Amino acid sequence: GTPDDTPQSELGKKIDRCTVAIVATEEMIDFDLLPPTSVPNWDSRLKEARASLEQNRPLLEEILEEGRSMADSGRLELSNQRTLERIDHLNGSARTVESDLEDQIAQVVALLGRYQAYKREVAEFQKWQDDCLKRTYSTPEECKVNKFLYYMLFFVIRKLMFELFLQRVLHLCLGG
């Protein structure tokens, strides 16, 4: 081949570097490969993947520009066609990863809101429970056992609902 597509060529090296980075980013959001352990973990991985894409965007743009120049030069040698095919494949992979990432970010943003609300409810309940346990009661009315049981039941039901919801959402969102 010509120097344009040899592993030692600058363009070939750039394509290889960018391909490795895109594949690594794709693996960050491949939850069949490594499922998230929690909503915050999912969010963190998506932020890391977005940062990786942004970090490699200038290199991808440079490769695309060199590919356009190569295509415009009119040289139709086989090695140039292979290089252009590699660039097209790289660009397609990057677009797919970016689209998948944006879809997952939209899903996790909605889920994070619910997760934060759930965490606030748990914290409020725990504070109320701690306050109840610190008090000394002289009458059954003061203890308000019914209210305590209500909150306890409410908490348990909400926790179970959220865990089931989270499992369902993670499986649906991540294709599991």
Side-chain angles (χ1 to χ4, degrees):
T2 66
D4 290 329
D5 196 30
T6 62
Q8 292 76 26
S9 77
E10 281 305 307
L11 181 56
K13 288 176 185 177
K14 290 176 187 177
I15 293 170
D16 291 343
R17 266 197 333 262
C18 196
T19 299
V20 167
I22 295 299
V23 168
T25 303
E26 184 177 31
E27 289 174 356
M28 280 184 225
I29 62 173
D30 181 351
F31 298 119
D32 290 330
L33 184 64
L34 183 63
T37 57
S38 65
V39 176
N41 173 259
W42 186 15
D43 182 51
S44 174
R45 285 172 59 186
L46 294 179
K47 287 178 180 172
E48 187 179 335
R50 176 181 265 170
S52 176
L53 277 181
E54 291 304 315
Q55 179 182 357
N56 289 290
R57 189 173 311 283
L59 178 59
L60 179 61
E61 292 299 324
E62 188 178 326
I63 291 168
L64 293 175
E65 185 58 38
E66 287 184 41
R68 281 189 283 275
S69 294
M70 183 184 289
D72 290 344
S73 74
R75 297 185 334 201
L76 297 176
E77 298 168 12
L78 185 58
S79 62
N80 288 349
Q81 288 176 337
R82 280 187 292 222
T83 299
L84 293 174
E85 287 170 7
R86 289 181 65 205
I87 292 171
D88 285 343
H89 182 265
L90 174 62
N91 190 37
S93 295
R95 287 177 185 222
T96 299
V97 169
E98 189 167 21
S99 175
D100 291 350
L101 179 62
E102 293 305 316
D103 289 347
Q104 287 189 36
I105 287 171
Q107 294 167 6
V108 84
V109 164
L111 193 57
L112 270 173
R114 286 186 162 176
Y115 179 78
Q116 295 303 330
Y118 168 76
K119 300 258 309 176
R120 280 191 302 276
E121 287 178 12
V122 168
E124 288 172 17
F125 175 76
Q126 287 173 337
K127 182 182 179 309
W128 179 82
Q129 183 183 21
D130 290 344
D131 289 347
C132 284
L133 294 174
K134 288 177 187 173
R135 294 183 192 144
T136 54
Y137 300 102
S138 58
T139 66
E141 294 82 29
E142 256 183 88
C143 188
K144 299 180 183 177
V145 172
N146 288 335
K147 189 172 184 181
F148 181 78
L149 291 175
Y150 170 78
Y151 278 111
M152 199 58 160
L153 183 60
F154 175 78
F155 170 72
V156 169
I157 290 171
R158 290 289 291 197
K159 183 176 185 305
L160 289 172
M161 286 173 56
F162 183 78
E163 288 172 356
L164 290 171
F165 169 76
L166 182 59
Q167 286 176 352
R168 189 182 71 208
V169 166
L170 288 177
H171 284 6
L172 289 174
C173 294
L174 307 177

